[in-house]
Amino acid sequence: MALVRYTAAAAEAAGIAAEQVPASTVGELRAQVLTRHGGELAQLIGRCSFVVDGVASDDGAALGPSDVVDVVPDL
């Protein structure tokens, strides 16, 4: 499971700062996050970057069990 950390407005929209999410790609992680939190986060997530272990990543990026994914709203 990847550790997902929500920053700034993404944390407010998700209602939490961090959680473990089972996913093998960033795209799967994005879908899991939307299923779990929907609502405000669904409106914001299209304007967020997914940063895996410090590297901005697209939906096809693979995730390992020890990866840390930061969900960062774009400015």
Side-chain angles (χ1 to χ4, degrees):
M1 280 196 211
L3 172 63
V4 180
R5 301 186 303 194
Y6 300 96
T7 62
E12 186 175 324
I16 57 173
E19 66 180 328
Q20 295 284 332
V21 177
S24 60
T25 67
V26 170
E28 287 179 15
L29 183 136
R30 181 189 302 264
Q32 287 287 334
V33 163
L34 288 174
T35 298
R36 290 177 182 204
H37 304 291
E40 289 182 44
L41 188 58
Q43 295 173 1
L44 177 68
I45 207 150
R47 298 184 313 269
C48 289
S49 293
F50 286 72
V51 181
V52 180
D53 295 331
V55 178
S57 301
D58 63 16
D59 281 353
L63 295 175
S66 63
D67 284 337
V68 176
V69 181
D70 294 311
V71 179
V72 182
D74 297 331
L75 298 176

